[in-house]
Amino acid sequence: MMSKLAMSCDEQERLLCYNGEVLVFRLSKGNFADKGPAEIPVLHVRRMVFDRETSAFVQKSTGFFSIKEENSHHFKIMCCNCVSDFRTGMTLPCIMLQGNEKNNVFKYSLLFLHSTNKFEKCLSFRLGHELKDSIRVLNGPLILWKHVKTFFYISSQTGKVITMSANLSSIDWAGEIANVGIVLIGQKSCSLSEEESTPEPSKSDYAVWNTTFCVYLLESEEVISDTYIIPPAYSTVITHVHVCATEFVNNQLRMSLVALTRKNQLISFQNGTPKSVCQLPSGDPCEVQLMDSGEDLLFIVSFRSSACAVWEKNFQVAAQWEKTSLALIDDFIGTGREQVLVLFKDSLNSDCLSSFKITNLENINYSSEALGYNEDDLVEDKPDNRYLMIPGLERRVKIGLASIQEVQQHLLLKEKIVLKSYKALMNLLREKEDNTSIAEEECLVTLCGNEESPVHTGDGKLSDNSQDSEQLVEKIWHRVIDDSLVVGVETVSSLTLSLNQVTLSLLMDEPHCSSFRFIKCQNRLIKLCRDSFLAPCPVPCEIGSEAKRIKLTVDSEEEEKSFACAEPSEKECVQTITAVTPLSPLLASSEFRCTLLLQIRKSENGNCSEQHYIPCGRLFLSLEDLSSGKYLVTFPKKPIEHMEDLFALLGTLHKTCFQIASASYALTSMKAWLLEHMNCEAIEQFPDICFCKGPEGLYGTLFHWKQRTLFEGILIVYSRNRTALLQCLHNLTRILPINCFLKNLKSGSEDLLSDRLALTLEKELVILGSLSSALVQVDNNLVETSKEKSSDALAALSDRTESSHPYREELQREKQMLGMNLKVSGDLYREMTMKLAEVQLKSDLAAQKLSS
């Protein structure tokens, strides 16, 4: 709700209304005398609110601002207003101060008042001339003034004084129009042509027809309209203008406004045509304000020492007040509609507003005079008092409906942007040319995170840009196993991922639909190394603590065998993400087309994950391909030769992890046992994977042995069904050493989590031991006390020998505690406790993951 400028009779005090409050600014304790010590000027503010129960203004809060300007003196308040801050868009009260400096230099400061009663200096500048009454403070904030015959302005955005280029003789209104900016309505002189000019024009005719009203846009410094404003015949009598409404019709600005004249009239203009005229009851009108009382609109006209109200509907005087100092418009009693606060003279001599009247010229009337009370407003149980609530509720309903409409428009805009983004994404995945304009592209949003370089390898071949270092996908392929479709995406080995960080999705392309349908599939992340270690040597490894041996396994990226005789060869790892989905539902039509979408989630320092979206290409599969056996994987008579077939099997077969440990026998020959007793054969490209060629039930089972220590390892079994897994376990129990321990791991990382937990617990114990050894016993004064206490307790219990043993143990523990007064260096203690907290946090996280 816009607050109006208000001035009191004291030049060092100003009043302003803001959000139903009355702000009283007072500049005090200034150096206004030529003699005596200088005093620091202080700007005070009081927030006054109206109390309906007492029908008086009460003080809500106060604030102050010390003006510490060494070279300035004789400060005074120039003006105050409520304007918006360009940084936040919020409307705040502001006040402008003037200080005198040497050599006739004047310093001006503009202060914002925040809700915490803190002042903020938003603008400060110096001028070689003094500003008079023709000062306007506009949104930004922006200060506009006139000196001699030139207009100047300065804003907090530019910070420098700018001279207006327009040749305006006066500015009758300045404000901001929505979707246009800050505009000025003023009068400018226009020269007549020789044909139009008369030989001897009179001075009055020349003054009238040589002046016209125009609308000047301050940002572009151009006149945007000089018609449909005020006829030139009124140019010599207009003193004040107030714009009520504006609109553009055929790129022409039309406006509705009211104006005050020197003939004491209030005139309404509609698109440059006089509409209504009201003869005012007093002379010298200086300001007009618009008040919305809810049912009707009123114009509040202020004079030098009086004020009146004029109905907008019939342009008749509704009320008149004499001996007034100012009139403010706001919602002072909180009904949701505006009222006028009329302050009478001598009302500013005390700490509160003692002489006033609040009214909407209908059913709301409050007055500071005892005889002027409206009993219906004071007695709550009167039936007529309900009318005070109905207007407020109606206004709230209107505001709520307007807010709902704004939210609906915002949601429609968001939906439009998302639809455009979705359309652009679909065109990208279909490899179609996007016809989105540049203006529309600025509104698009990313639906699935950051877009990476796409790979178009629908036929399994690498694209031309696959050698790029930033390329993440090297190859895509697909296979058919039984009734399942397996799609694989091979990524670069340098990309470190886990299954919860990556998702491979299949988007089915509907034949006669513009949208995609996500296909439900199961993902699996597979990492294999091409080369194996050298043959193991029976020489035992170096004896050390269990946690140290665990550390060798946990901290390395690849599993290391501490019992190897020689250095292992360099491993080349292959990382593939597979997606498995049932094939039958996809072949409802003769052809199946889908798009591969890879989504990678990365988190840094525990923050929210960042998603990267990679379109990998398109997949085409037809009934003809299935009939010919193309892409079909069967269990061959000899070990698997193609790497894609192996990954397809690893993606579809049932995966089961077993932890195998033996306390008496080393498990270094586990791979040899698999090859010999389980009738397995190592795959040439990946020697760590063993292919079972045993009986028909076990044929095609894959084994992957990971040696952890001499006596422990992880065996991963890929079986076709549960029956084949049971046969494998039955055969394994025959070849494994006696007293060998097998444990089914629900997750392949459970053993690593256990090792990490053991390692962190060991570190925690080491730090606790270091902390205990650093403690020094410095005082044994409490030992005697503990002895006396323990002897008294034992004497009291001497007659109860059988039940005294627990008490003796408790006293002994208490004696030991009381006998230790340990101290340690503060810096050392802080350092150790920090290390201990970090290790405990790691152990807690490992325990939490292990338990889940």
Side-chain angles (χ1 to χ4, degrees):
M1 190 175 296
M2 180 62 68
S3 303
K4 308 295 188 252
L5 176 66
M7 298 179 63
S8 66
C9 56
D10 186 0
E11 67 174 359
Q12 294 305 311
E13 192 172 66
R14 294 291 186 274
L15 267 69
L16 189 67
C17 59
Y18 176 72
N19 288 344
E21 301 175 348
V22 178
L23 307 180
V24 182
F25 297 97
R26 181 185 292 272
L27 187 62
S28 61
K29 297 183 180 180
N31 185 12
F32 304 111
D34 296 335
K35 297 181 181 180
E39 297 182 3
I40 298 178
V42 179
L43 177 64
H44 298 269
V45 62
R46 292 185 297 140
R47 292 183 183 266
M48 310 294 292
V49 295
F50 183 72
D51 187 2
R52 295 176 58 180
E53 295 183 359
T54 60
S55 295
F57 281 92
V58 296
Q59 181 173 294
K60 178 182 178 182
S61 59
T62 61
F64 68 93
F65 177 75
S66 300
I67 307 174
K68 299 179 181 180
E69 300 288 347
E70 298 180 356
N71 300 325
S72 301
H73 57 280
H74 294 287
F75 288 93
K76 68 177 181 179
I77 302 176
M78 297 297 295
C79 62
C80 57
N81 198 359
C82 290
V83 297
S84 63
D85 186 358
F86 80 96
R87 299 169 299 180
T88 62
M90 296 178 58
T91 299
L92 297 173
C94 69
I95 183 168
M96 183 176 178
L97 302 178
Q98 173 186 292
N100 298 350
E101 296 185 353
K102 298 180 180 179
N103 301 325
N104 293 327
V105 176
F106 300 90
K107 183 176 181 179
Y108 296 93
S109 301
L110 195 64
L111 307 177
F112 268 136
L113 176 64
H114 294 277
S115 59
T116 57
N117 290 331
K118 299 295 183 181
F119 287 90
E120 177 192 4
K121 183 182 292 187
C122 58
L123 183 60
S124 180
F125 61 97
R126 290 178 172 84
L127 294 176
H129 57 272
E130 184 178 5
L131 301 183
K132 301 299 181 181
D133 295 335
S134 59
I135 305 174
R136 299 177 185 268
V137 181
L138 308 175
N139 291 336
L142 183 143
I143 303 176
L144 177 68
W145 72 91
K146 180 181 180 181
H147 180 63
V148 189
K149 295 183 178 181
T150 308
F151 287 93
F152 304 89
Y153 68 93
I154 184 175
S155 67
S156 58
Q157 294 179 270
T158 59
K160 61 181 179 179
V161 179
I162 300 176
T163 303
M164 284 181 51
S165 59
N167 185 21
L168 299 179
S169 59
S170 65
I171 295 179
D172 299 284
W173 182 84
E176 185 173 1
I177 298 179
N179 302 323
V180 177
I182 295 180
V183 299
L184 311 175
I185 298 180
Q187 303 179 26
K188 69 173 183 177
S189 301
C190 54
S191 58
L192 298 176
S193 62
E194 295 181 359
E195 297 179 357
E196 296 175 346
S197 60
T198 58
E200 295 179 358
S202 63
K203 294 183 179 181
S204 60
D205 292 341
Y206 183 82
V208 170
W209 298 107
N210 193 43
T211 305
T212 182
F213 285 88
C214 66
V215 179
Y216 180 80
L217 183 58
L218 191 62
E219 182 178 1
S220 59
E221 297 185 355
E222 61 178 355
V223 176
I224 61 175
S225 177
D226 56 1
T227 57
Y228 303 105
I229 306 172
I230 298 177
Y234 292 88
S235 60
T236 58
V237 295
I238 295 296
T239 59
H240 183 83
V241 174
H242 178 80
V243 176
C244 301
T246 60
E247 64 174 348
F248 277 91
V249 179
N250 298 327
N251 294 328
Q252 183 68 40
L253 181 63
R254 306 292 181 91
M255 60 177 54
S256 173
L257 54 86
V258 292
L260 298 175
T261 67
R262 291 187 174 89
K263 296 182 178 181
N264 305 326
Q265 293 174 327
L266 178 65
I267 305 178
S268 172
F269 293 93
Q270 186 73 30
N271 298 329
T273 303
K275 183 180 179 182
S276 303
V277 179
C278 176
Q279 189 65 39
L280 301 175
S282 301
D284 298 330
C286 57
E287 185 183 15
V288 59
Q289 306 175 64
L290 180 64
M291 185 183 81
D292 183 5
S293 64
E295 299 297 334
D296 298 300
L297 298 177
L298 294 101
F299 296 104
I300 307 300
V301 182
S302 299
F303 304 90
R304 298 301 176 186
S305 60
S306 62
C308 73
V310 179
W311 293 110
E312 189 267 345
K313 56 185 177 182
N314 55 16
F315 249 60
Q316 298 295 321
V317 177
Q320 182 180 0
W321 304 279
E322 299 291 341
K323 297 181 180 180
T324 62
S325 59
L326 58 94
L328 301 174
I329 296 177
D330 210 327
D331 183 13
F332 298 100
I333 64 175
T335 62
R337 299 182 179 183
E338 293 179 334
Q339 309 94 39
V340 58
L341 168 63
V342 181
L343 297 178
F344 299 97
K345 289 185 177 180
D346 300 330
S347 64
L348 304 178
N349 294 332
S350 59
D351 292 340
C352 62
L353 307 175
S354 57
S355 181
F356 63 89
K357 183 177 181 65
I358 297 177
T359 181
N360 66 346
L361 299 180
E362 292 179 358
N363 56 352
I364 298 178
N365 288 285
Y366 289 92
S367 176
S368 59
E369 299 178 1
L371 299 178
Y373 286 143
N374 189 342
E375 295 182 358
D376 293 342
D377 293 336
L378 297 178
V379 183
E380 295 184 357
D381 56 354
K382 291 286 186 178
D384 295 339
N385 196 44
R386 70 190 66 174
Y387 294 108
L388 289 177
M389 299 180 61
I390 294 177
L393 295 176
E394 291 178 350
R395 174 57 62 89
R396 290 183 180 181
V397 170
K398 293 180 180 179
I399 295 176
L401 292 176
S403 301
I404 292 175
Q405 292 177 356
E406 291 181 0
V407 172
Q408 290 177 344
Q409 293 178 357
H410 182 66
L411 292 177
L412 290 176
L413 178 60
K414 290 177 63 176
E415 183 179 359
K416 182 179 179 181
I417 294 175
V418 171
L419 288 177
K420 290 183 178 179
S421 304
Y422 178 76
K423 180 181 177 182
L425 174 63
M426 295 301 103
N427 292 334
L428 173 65
L429 297 178
R430 292 174 175 173
E431 302 178 5
K432 293 182 179 180
E433 184 178 356
D434 190 11
N435 55 0
T436 306
S437 62
I438 298 178
E440 292 177 340
E441 286 182 356
E442 297 177 355
C443 300
L444 297 183
V445 296
T446 304
L447 297 178
C448 300
N450 298 330
E451 182 180 348
E452 300 290 345
S453 302
V455 181
H456 306 287
T457 56
D459 55 354
K461 298 180 181 180
L462 293 177
S463 60
D464 297 337
N465 57 350
S466 61
Q467 302 300 327
D468 191 357
S469 60
E470 296 182 358
Q471 186 70 33
L472 301 179
V473 177
E474 289 190 345
K475 187 200 309 188
I476 67 172
W477 49 266
H478 63 279
R479 294 291 187 271
V480 176
I481 298 180
D482 295 336
D483 192 28
S484 299
L485 173 64
V486 185
V487 180
V489 174
E490 180 181 342
T491 63
V492 293
S493 58
S494 60
L495 182 62
T496 304
L497 295 173
S498 61
L499 186 57
N500 59 353
Q501 293 177 331
V502 64
T503 301
L504 179 60
S505 304
L506 304 181
L507 285 76
M508 186 174 180
D509 192 358
E510 301 287 353
H512 305 288
C513 183
S514 59
S515 62
F516 279 84
R517 178 172 64 89
F518 279 90
I519 302 174
K520 184 179 180 180
C521 53
Q522 181 181 4
N523 288 157
R524 183 172 289 181
L525 178 64
I526 304 172
K527 299 180 183 179
L528 295 179
C529 297
R530 294 181 185 272
D531 296 332
S532 178
F533 287 98
L534 296 180
C537 176
V539 179
C541 63
E542 182 180 354
I543 300 176
S545 65
E546 179 67 17
K548 290 182 180 179
R549 293 199 304 273
I550 293 173
K551 184 177 181 181
L552 292 176
T553 305
V554 174
D555 294 343
S556 61
E557 294 184 359
E558 306 295 339
E559 290 79 0
E560 298 180 0
K561 299 180 176 62
S562 58
F563 52 87
C565 298
E567 292 295 329
S569 60
E570 193 70 22
K571 287 189 175 184
E572 180 186 356
C573 294
V574 180
Q575 181 172 253
T576 301
I577 302 101
T578 61
V580 182
T581 183
L583 181 62
S584 301
L586 306 180
L587 298 178
S589 59
S590 59
E591 295 181 351
F592 166 69
R593 301 176 184 269
C594 72
T595 303
L596 275 61
L597 204 62
L598 186 63
Q599 187 176 357
I600 300 176
R601 295 172 293 275
K602 296 182 179 179
S603 59
E604 297 180 357
N605 301 326
N607 297 328
C608 297
S609 60
E610 178 183 2
Q611 298 185 359
H612 297 267
Y613 152 73
I614 307 174
C616 302
R618 305 191 67 193
L619 179 65
F620 174 77
L621 190 64
S622 63
L623 291 176
E624 183 180 354
D625 295 334
L626 294 177
S627 302
S628 61
K630 190 177 182 180
Y631 306 117
L632 184 63
V633 177
T634 58
F635 291 96
K637 299 297 182 182
K638 56 182 179 179
I640 303 171
E641 296 180 354
H642 299 286
M643 181 178 64
E644 290 80 8
D645 296 343
L646 173 62
F647 278 97
L649 290 173
L650 295 177
T652 55
L653 295 178
H654 295 281
K655 177 182 177 182
T656 311
C657 299
F658 295 98
Q659 180 184 6
I660 303 178
S662 177
S664 304
Y665 296 91
L667 301 177
T668 55
S669 303
M670 185 66 184
K671 187 175 180 181
W673 296 339
L674 292 174
L675 297 178
E676 180 179 357
H677 299 286
M678 296 294 293
N679 195 14
C680 294
E681 182 175 345
I683 297 178
E684 181 179 357
Q685 296 181 351
F686 301 97
D688 289 340
I689 305 294
C690 297
F691 181 84
C692 182
K693 300 186 299 180
E696 184 177 355
L698 294 178
Y699 190 87
T701 304
L702 299 177
F703 297 94
H704 186 194
W705 171 251
K706 296 180 181 180
Q707 187 78 38
R708 296 288 309 284
T709 64
L710 280 175
F711 305 95
E712 182 187 358
I714 302 295
L715 179 64
I716 303 177
V717 181
Y718 296 89
S719 57
R720 302 176 64 178
N721 47 52
R722 297 297 180 183
T723 305
L725 177 62
L726 180 61
Q727 294 180 7
C728 292
L729 292 177
H730 180 70
N731 294 338
L732 282 175
T733 54
R734 296 180 178 179
I735 64 175
L736 290 176
I738 303 176
N739 298 330
C740 194
F741 174 77
L742 271 77
K743 180 182 179 182
N744 183 18
L745 302 179
K746 294 182 179 180
S747 174
S749 59
E750 185 175 350
D751 55 330
L752 298 180
L753 292 176
S754 302
D755 296 342
R756 288 192 178 96
L757 179 59
L759 181 63
T760 53
L761 289 177
E762 184 185 25
K763 290 182 179 179
E764 184 176 344
L765 290 175
V766 172
I767 296 177
L768 286 173
S770 302
L771 183 62
S772 301
S773 62
L775 297 174
V776 180
Q777 184 174 354
V778 295
D779 193 6
N780 294 324
N781 294 335
L782 296 178
V783 175
E784 298 298 331
T785 304
S786 64
K787 288 182 179 181
E788 294 177 2
K789 184 174 180 180
S790 61
S791 61
D792 294 340
L794 291 175
L797 299 174
S798 60
D799 55 344
R800 301 175 63 181
T801 306
E802 296 180 356
S803 60
S804 64
H805 185 68
Y807 295 97
R808 287 194 183 98
E809 293 181 351
E810 182 180 357
L811 289 173
Q812 186 67 23
R813 290 194 300 268
E814 186 177 359
K815 181 174 62 176
Q816 293 177 358
M817 294 177 60
L818 294 174
M820 298 177 63
N821 184 12
L822 305 178
K823 293 184 178 180
V824 70
S825 172
D827 295 336
L828 179 60
Y829 182 78
R830 282 191 295 270
E831 181 181 356
M832 289 185 175
T833 52
M834 285 295 294
K835 291 181 179 180
L836 180 62
E838 294 178 359
V839 176
Q840 287 177 343
L841 178 61
K842 293 180 180 179
S843 61
D844 292 343
L845 292 176
Q848 180 183 7
K849 292 180 180 179
L850 188 61
S851 62
S852 60

